[in-house]
Amino acid sequence: MSRYEAGLVVARRETAADRVLVLTLRHPLGEPLPAWEPGAHVDVVLRPGLERQYSLCGDPADRAAYRIAVLRETDGRGGSAYVHDELRAGDTVRVRGPRNGFRLERAPRYRFLAGGIGITPILPMLAAAEEAGAEWSLLYGGRTRAGLAFTGELERYGGRVVIVPEDESGLLDLASVLDDVSPDTLVYCCGPGPLLDAVEARCPAGRLRVERFRPKEAVADPPAEAEFEVVLARSGRTVSVPPGVPVLDAVRAAGVEVLYSCTEGTCGTCETEVVEGEPDHRDSVLTEAERAAGETMLICVSRCRGRRLVLDL
């Protein structure tokens, strides 16, 4: 996990679509930024107490700048409004990362699906798939054509990109993309929750990789929680985790410094190695295979299926 943190300057503000603002971030002294791969995101501290995660949507070969895109959320919690209304070129923001929980795995064929601002992590994936000589296609939808970002950049890919404004053509035709997925094809999808849920329901098992901007809906009748113990492998200390208290809060209350950000199980910052025990995964990041392996867990939301966990903390 990267521990890079620096104040980066907003070098440029551009409009990419209705309600979508693109920021180019550079080091104030021109120092090269940490390398990243398609699917990575950074934590951006906009001001004290206001921190958000944004996917990197520029060129990974460009170590001089990071590019992020921010959608103004009509029902957001203040982050996007701050970026659109108050953040100006020349301002400095604190940036941590990059981190990647949505890495592009090697495959001969890809099917990409994006909804709205979900195009941001997908955009550099297309360039990587193209460079690797893979066979790929993109189905990209949104409410209106004017609200779809980066359509100009996508024109160079020709017919492999299908853009579907909902007010013109209706919802995405998922059957056209998912009903004939071959065993050597990987499907990458990012966008609003309903789109991801529909794709998950239709995509063949093991083929899908998703990134969520918001956590999955909680189950209507969650199981009762019990107290359990977390053993901190590096010190041998034992911390009790009561019902309703996240592991993250319990270990921090015990004085243990842990990296974290969203506290919703969506960013992956607090992913921690499991030495012993069975996690009760409640995040929106890990794949089904990763959950089954039980080698890591997101301690901001996940718990324990037994009475004891040993974590690499």
Side-chain angles (χ1 to χ4, degrees), residues 12-33:
R12 186 183 306 130
R13 284 171 45 110
E14 302 170 277
T15 299
D18 287 350
R19 300 171 47 232
V20 178
L21 188 66
V22 176
L23 304 180
T24 300
L25 308 176
R26 299 182 184 273
H27 193 281
L29 301 179
E31 295 179 6
L33 301 177

Side-chain angles (χ1 to χ4, degrees), residues 129-143:
E130 181 81 354
E131 183 177 357
E135 177 186 316
W136 64 269
S137 65
L138 167 66
L139 186 61
Y140 177 28
R143 292 181 179 176

Side-chain angles (χ1 to χ4, degrees), residues 108-121:
R109 295 176 179 82
Y110 299 99
R111 301 281 175 87
F112 297 105
L113 298 101
I117 199 63
I119 190 62
T120 50

